[in-house]
Amino acid sequence: MSTIDNLKDRTTPVFSPDDVTVIFVLGGPGAGKGTQCERLVARYGFAHLSAGDLLRAEQNRPDSEFGDLIRHYIRNGLIVPMEVTIALLEAAMRQILDGPEPDAAAAAAPRPNKGGKFLIDGFPRKLDQAIKFEEAVVPARFVLFYDCPEHEMERRLLERGKTSGREDDNAESIRKRFRTFVETSMPVVDYFEKQNRVVKVDAVRQPDQVFETTQKELEKRLQL
Ligand code: ADP
Ligand code: C5P
Ligand code: MG
């Protein structure tokens, strides 16, 4: 991943917020980030980049030099060093933005990512990630924060664990992930909150109701 070296010294964003709209989607493990992002993609044509999904794909890529490192961090619910995650996100954004223009037949269909609108799901989970991403990649518009109590998130994750195949959807990893969320990731939400950049959504209700609130909040703030 050549972007890593390049990222270290970079102090200006590679993308302009005039061309690229980024929404950070945060919330504890199991709050429903992925579920809501999927709906937003279907309804508004956002591109959805889940940092966790990108890390899992990199972990499983046979030639990756980071496979073992990522596996260790994910199993223990710890935050992977930011250079790895930011490089993966930047590469995925670039691929989407540089993707082929639709041909004549496809032109009638909605563009998959009209206007470069990105939902960055599960990121930033640590303050250094937030600062570096906005400095070197692009500033985000705001944070969409899904608020859910731990007992409900735990119930959802244990249920998801029956079929997800995820190595971290077990009671012990879940405990560690909650701890990391409280100690390391909530300070990121507080950091954005101090800048009045957090849109908080109650994530306890049914997915349809959560989505309704999400739509209202986004439509107030973005031209969708
Ligand atoms: P996250 O990406 O925040 O970890 P997911 O979207 O994967 O969360 O949701 C975790 C689990 O909870 C999934 O099995 C999902 O189907 C379920 N789920 C998501 N939203 C809700 C909701 N509002 N009410 C009940 N279950 C939900
Ligand atoms: O968001 P998700 O639950 O899929 O993330 C799974 C794991 O991936 C996290 O518990 C963490 O170990 C790692 N991760 C990370 N940095 C991020 C997002 C996820 O280290 N920004
Ligand atoms: Mg998820």
Side-chain angles (χ1 to χ4, degrees):
M1 289 204 286
S2 57
T3 4
I4 288 190
D5 292 328
N6 173 299
L7 191 67
K8 281 189 183 132
D9 305 323
R10 207 191 308 146
T11 52
T12 51
V14 278
F15 302 123
S16 160
D18 296 336
D19 305 330
V20 171
T21 301
V22 164
I23 314 294
F24 290 145
V25 182
L26 296 180
K33 301 180 293 294
T35 303
Q36 295 300 320
C37 284
E38 204 178 299
R39 290 169 178 233
L40 289 168
V41 169
R43 176 69 181 79
Y44 300 109
F46 282 98
H48 172 211
L49 296 177
S50 154
D53 287 351
L54 289 170
L55 288 166
R56 282 183 286 272
E58 179 66 17
Q59 171 192 298
N60 295 327
R61 193 169 63 84
D63 292 338
S64 173
E65 56 183 300
F66 300 110
D68 291 341
L69 175 139
I70 295 172
R71 187 168 297 107
H72 166 80
Y73 279 87
I74 288 186
R75 270 213 189 123
N76 289 293
L78 297 168
I79 306 302
V80 174
M82 66 158 178
E83 288 83 2
V84 175
T85 313
I86 296 178
L88 290 170
L89 283 169
E90 186 182 329
M93 288 176 73
R94 197 176 290 287
Q95 201 178 14
I96 289 166
L97 290 167
D98 293 351
E101 287 295 310
D103 61 23
R111 287 282 301 279
N113 186 33
K114 194 178 65 184
K117 298 195 301 272
F118 292 93
L119 298 169
I120 310 257
D121 161 2
F123 178 95
R125 289 263 239 297
K126 192 171 171 181
L127 209 45
D128 64 348
Q129 299 184 340
I131 291 166
K132 189 67 186 173
F133 185 93
E134 293 208 300
E135 177 185 77
V137 182
V138 67
R141 292 287 282 272
F142 53 85
V143 172
L144 188 56
F145 174 60
Y146 287 103
D147 191 24
C148 194
E150 217 166 79
H151 64 88
E152 173 63 11
M153 297 196 289
E154 183 185 33
R155 189 193 67 74
R156 291 179 189 177
L157 291 176
L158 290 172
E159 186 61 32
R160 186 177 75 180
K162 292 178 187 168
T163 54
S164 68
R166 278 181 53 159
E167 289 178 57
D168 59 351
D169 278 348
N170 59 74
E172 195 187 335
S173 290
I174 290 170
R175 202 163 6 90
K176 293 177 176 170
R177 290 157 72 195
F178 284 163
R179 188 178 173 149
T180 299
F181 175 65
V182 172
E183 291 178 354
T184 309
S185 304
M186 270 316 285
V188 178
V189 179
D190 297 339
Y191 164 81
F192 285 113
E193 182 71 65
K194 286 201 185 87
Q195 304 174 11
N196 279 323
R197 297 169 70 196
V198 177
V199 177
K200 188 158 139 181
V201 171
D202 173 11
V204 182
R205 293 164 306 150
Q206 290 305 301
D208 283 350
Q209 294 172 301
V210 178
F211 188 57
E212 229 174 82
T213 314
T214 303
Q215 283 184 286
K216 280 195 194 128
E217 296 292 347
L218 289 198
E219 287 178 6
K220 265 194 248 171
R221 291 170 176 82
L222 299 172
Q223 296 212 297
L224 292 164

